[in-house]
Amino acid sequence: MNKKMNRLLWMLVALLSLAACTEDTEYTAGVWYRRSDFDGVARMDVAGFTIGNKGYLCGGYRGSKKERLKDLWEYHIDNDWWTQCEDMPDEAIARNAATGFAVGTKGYIVGGYDKDANDYLDDCWEYDPATGNWKQMDPFGGGARMYALGFGIGNYGYVGTGYNDNYLKDFYQFDPSAASGSQWTIINGFGGQKRQGGMVFVIDDIAYICGGENNNADVYDFWCFDPSQSTPWKQLRDIKDSSDDDYDDDYTSIVRCYGCAFVIDGKGYIALGQTSSSSLRSNYWIYDPATDLWDGEDLTDFEGSSRVKAVCFSTGKRGIVATGGTGTSSSSFYDDTWELKPYEYEEK
């Protein structure tokens, strides 16, 4: 009997100790998991797009000589493996800083930078995963540029902002079904700052645009674009502490350029990147369109190396980050792949 009582007492003490420890333990939200490394050569400054449960990575540059690339890779998000696809055709120039987006079941690569010619590009290429074929489309309506924003909504693509020796803020709609010579149409009404290296995510067919740099300063305005409205552009709350209210007191650490953006369960996420002063970001923030508020409190920092100019894939349920670099003159290049699980917790 005494042995049984002692055992029960010991178990009770252990449970009470565990409960006390749990109460004192602090946690951060979100866990970053390393996935299958990218099979290609490490690189940064790539273009990417997502179709269904597959992400696509194209181009970029690598190495101390910053060799430009034109290969295309597919990442199977559910099964966690990479497959090399058909390279961009011979007529396409190897590039970095291009823009990628998807419309329906096809992906598009627009613009970028041609190192050999020391010039910007305006060409547009369509990739069909079903056939593995590339097709050249109309040149981008806004002219040559790099570090533009691109996204797809419904049957159309949209491309805007960027840099071509001038910071830009124009936007164009792309109709892949239109006849040659009429695929691009200007979209007026964007009242935001000029920028390159911004971020965009799409929730319920509304695009949200933030971040980037303009004349070596961080861009802090925040806009949404709803093509179903007669006035599609709307300015939202700034992503810095610019009001007299308390909600944005910690917003200073949101601003960044060359970061990643993705959507999980109706909320927007931005992660990684850098400030205009080249300070790397390792944190992430979550945007709720229902409240027009950002949350960055007690979130787990990225667990890989901090980086800029990575590619991200967004299925609406999962967010993936791959490749990237440190962005310095002696930059390191990465070939790792990471996924954020936002509903899991990690002990501080």
Side-chain angles (χ1 to χ4, degrees), residues 261-275:
F262 48 86
V263 173
I264 299 177
D265 293 335
K267 294 184 179 180
Y269 290 70
I270 61 170
L272 303 175
Q274 67 180 54
T275 65

Side-chain angles (χ1 to χ4, degrees), residues 40 42 53 92 110 146 155 159 177 231 237 243 261 291 301 325:
N53 65 342
V110 177
M146 64 179 184
N155 296 322
V159 176
S177 66
T231 305
R237 293 167 170 158
S243 80
T291 61
D301 283 351

Side-chain angles (χ1 to χ4, degrees), residues 199 218 239-241 248-257 270-275 279-285 294-297 299 301:
M199 292 155 289
D218 292 314
I239 59 169
K240 75 167 190 175
D241 184 5
D248 58 357
D249 287 351
D250 298 324
Y251 275 18
T252 302
S253 66
I254 302 179
V255 293
R256 67 195 66 201
C257 49
I270 61 170
L272 303 175
Q274 67 180 54
T275 65
S279 297
L280 295 178
R281 296 286 201 200
S282 60
N283 63 341
Y284 75 92
W285 282 77
W294 292 86
D295 179 19
E297 184 177 359
L299 302 182
D301 283 351

Side-chain angles (χ1 to χ4, degrees), residues 35 90 116 132 138 143 153 162 199 208 233 318:
R35 299 308 189 194
D90 294 341
D116 292 339
D138 286 353
I153 296 178
M199 292 155 289
Y208 296 84
W233 293 102
R318 302 175 68 177

Side-chain angles (χ1 to χ4, degrees), residues 169-190:
K169 55 175 287 189
D170 53 343
F171 270 88
Y172 287 76
Q173 177 182 278
F174 172 67
D175 182 356
S177 66
S180 179
S182 58
Q183 293 170 351
W184 294 95
T185 305
I186 192 167
I187 301 295
N188 292 312
F190 177 57

